[in-house]
Amino acid sequence: MRSAMSRLLAVLSILLLPAGCSRSGSSPSSPVPDDSSAAGASSAPPASGASPAAYRPQQFHGSPANFYVPPKPMPKVAHGTLLRYQRTKLTIPGGTAWKVMYASTSLAGRSIAVTGIVVVPTGNAPEGGWKLISVAHGTTGIADDCAPSRFDVPENVDTTSAYTVALSRGDYRRFAEDGYLKAGYVLSFTDYEGLGTPGVHPYLVGPSERRSVLDAARAARRLPHTPVRKSFAIWGYSQGGHAAAWANDLAAKWTPELHLMGSVAGGPVSELNLVANTLGSTSMEPSLFFMIIAGYAAAYPELHPSDVLTPAGIRVMQKFEAHCGAYPGAVRGQKLSDLVKPGFDSNTAWQRRLGESNPGQYGSQAPAAPLLILHSADDEVVPAFLSKTMLDRICRIGWTVERRIYHNGKGHVAEVPNAMADALPWINARMAGKKPASNCTKK
């Protein structure tokens, strides 16, 4: 029987469901990733620039490829401002899908463009507007053509990544089939920073993920003729579970005009040191290791891939950055020892930054919304002990957290339908103001 460490690698390739490409991201050198104190970062909308409500977004009529080219210069607007939108070719039962581009903020404090999909229920909005869920997807790769919002156009899709297309398209439709649209929710799916747009995606870098998720919620409320309430929830699975836990902490400061009622983190990635160290030292499924190296080097300028990878390893990493079809086959047939330099697990700079992205260790000054963790006891990609460690840490900073474990023999991906089915009534209860359960013991 495989150990938890081996299982962690085996399916980790499926577990994280997003990423990004081109190399241009950077971030502050402060060791504290909390947005309220990180150098160069802001915890509220920039003082200069129009508010999200004041800026008039553009209905885009250009080519699908040009949709992803940010305006030059970027308009001086607050993060979360909707910049452009375009109806997609996606067929969603009970809803209409719009491709969106919105403003966000990099870890270096620069205004950047992020893309995604907003799905709006069919029909007229109820009194008070639609409810809202910001959705954080799992790993699709780190090349720009891996952005889930690109998969509505056949020419944007490489057949070698058909499984990625199925996962991403399935996300949009699964929400419809599971009743989220019927229940009156607008769904805002972020691509994440650097995935589809310029810059390398800061893969599994929590402070970046949470900005993308929260700004997507803001942007969805600016879609024309789409009245949306200020109360919202967050849903994420795998890498998206990691992003959801991070966003849950920052919401009250980053989007103070909105009201986060609760977040759901399914099969969440955590304990990044253990994950990366294991991936970098075993041949079971090392592909994600190269994506982590690319993402963290993009986020933190003091981290250099050449300190971790051999010249051959850097070439492998560049394949992941350049083309979605490189995932996960770029490493096959090569010895990991020829690609990764020894001593990664003792590299202080890399280990510090990885540890900083473990959810639930900082705690915002404002009370965090309730969090629901859903995890399979038989998760072969993200072993369940990882979310238990995360739970213990989050409880110590005073969150209200419930952790449910499935004992049905299903693995990481197979458990998604159960998690989605259980998440909806939990979110509905939070929207109704009902008191949530918690596994945290009050002292």
Side-chain angles (χ1 to χ4, degrees):
M1 186 173 180
R2 289 182 300 176
S3 67
M5 294 279 281
S6 297
R7 294 186 305 165
L8 173 61
L9 309 167
V11 185
L12 243 169
S13 57
I14 310 171
L15 117 88
L16 317 146
L17 300 179
C21 189
S22 6
R23 182 170 295 285
S24 68
S26 62
S27 86
S29 57
S30 167
V32 182
D34 179 40
D35 294 78
S36 63
S37 57
S42 60
S43 60
S48 61
S51 70
Y55 184 84
R56 186 174 181 178
Q58 169 198 12
Q59 185 168 7
F60 190 78
H61 298 289
S63 69
N66 286 339
F67 185 91
Y68 293 88
V69 180
K72 291 184 179 181
M74 279 285 291
K76 294 182 179 180
V77 294
H79 59 82
T81 298
L82 180 63
L83 302 177
R84 65 178 63 147
Y85 61 98
Q86 182 180 53
R87 187 163 180 169
T88 77
K89 298 179 181 180
L90 288 169
T91 301
I92 308 295
T96 301
W98 298 87
K99 188 174 295 188
V100 298
M101 175 182 283
Y102 58 90
S104 192
T105 307
S106 73
L107 295 187
R110 294 184 297 103
S111 181
I112 57 173
V114 178
T115 51
I117 292 283
V118 175
V119 181
V120 181
T122 301
N124 297 323
E127 185 177 353
W130 300 110
K131 294 175 287 186
L132 174 64
I133 298 176
S134 190
V135 181
H137 68 87
T139 301
T140 56
I142 64 168
D144 280 342
D145 57 345
C146 295
S149 71
R150 287 179 177 255
F151 297 152
D152 66 314
V153 182
E155 56 265 31
N156 288 337
V157 180
D158 188 297
T159 55
T160 60
S161 59
Y163 72 96
T164 293
V165 178
L167 283 173
S168 299
R169 284 181 173 168
D171 277 350
Y172 306 135
R173 292 171 182 158
R174 190 179 295 120
F175 275 93
E177 293 167 357
D178 283 4
Y180 285 76
L181 294 175
K182 189 175 181 180
Y185 288 98
V186 164
L187 304 166
S188 189
F189 299 79
T190 181
D191 282 336
Y192 298 119
E193 174 187 350
L195 188 52
T197 49
V200 179
H201 169 57
Y203 187 56
L204 285 177
V205 176
S208 168
E209 292 172 338
R210 64 181 177 180
R211 295 180 181 193
S212 294
V213 171
L214 294 171
D215 286 339
R218 257 191 182 177
R221 300 188 69 246
R222 303 276 70 86
L223 195 64
H225 313 298
T226 308
V228 178
R229 302 176 191 180
K230 291 185 177 181
S231 298
F232 76 109
I234 295 172
W235 153 266
Y237 197 88
S238 198
Q239 179 193 0
H242 178 261
W246 269 97
N248 196 71
D249 187 19
L250 181 65
K253 293 186 294 182
W254 194 252
T255 49
E257 81 284 7
L258 303 183
H259 307 297
L260 179 60
M261 306 301 288
S263 300
V264 180
V269 182
S270 183
E271 315 320 301
L272 271 297
N273 302 80
L274 173 61
V275 171
N277 293 342
T278 305
L279 290 171
S281 61
T282 176
S283 60
M284 286 196 67
E285 186 46 75
S287 302
L288 296 180
F289 177 76
F290 293 91
M291 291 192 271
I292 290 172
I293 296 302
Y296 273 72
Y300 302 113
E302 77 274 18
L303 302 183
H304 306 289
S306 59
D307 292 339
V308 178
L309 304 176
T310 67
I314 290 177
R315 289 193 292 272
V316 168
M317 181 190 73
Q318 291 170 340
K319 289 181 180 179
F320 287 118
E321 293 180 348
H323 184 45
C324 196
Y327 171 64
V331 187
R332 289 192 186 125
Q334 302 187 65
K335 293 181 179 180
L336 200 58
S337 58
D338 293 335
L339 305 176
V340 181
K341 294 180 178 179
F344 175 72
D345 59 355
S346 59
N347 186 303
T348 303
W350 281 90
Q351 295 301 317
R352 183 181 73 251
R353 287 301 192 185
L354 287 165
E356 288 171 357
S357 271
N358 291 331
Q361 56 182 318
Y362 300 103
S364 61
Q365 294 177 354
L371 178 69
L372 174 64
I373 298 173
L374 301 172
H375 215 151
S376 170
D378 297 287
D379 194 322
E380 77 285 27
V381 179
V382 187
F385 77 85
L386 294 178
S387 67
K388 177 59 168 65
T389 303
M390 184 177 82
L391 169 71
D392 293 341
R393 198 167 45 238
I394 290 176
C395 285
R396 287 195 293 270
I397 60 175
W399 289 18
T400 297
V401 189
E402 180 185 1
R403 178 175 178 261
R404 301 180 190 174
I405 299 297
Y406 298 103
H407 296 275
N408 54 20
K410 293 185 177 180
H412 189 70
V413 175
E415 204 66 82
V416 171
N418 287 329
M420 292 191 67
D422 288 345
L424 181 55
W426 187 88
I427 291 174
N428 286 338
R430 304 291 76 75
M431 291 292 187
K434 296 181 180 179
K435 184 177 180 180
S438 180
N439 295 129
C440 300
T441 302
K442 300 293 184 180
K443 295 183 178 180

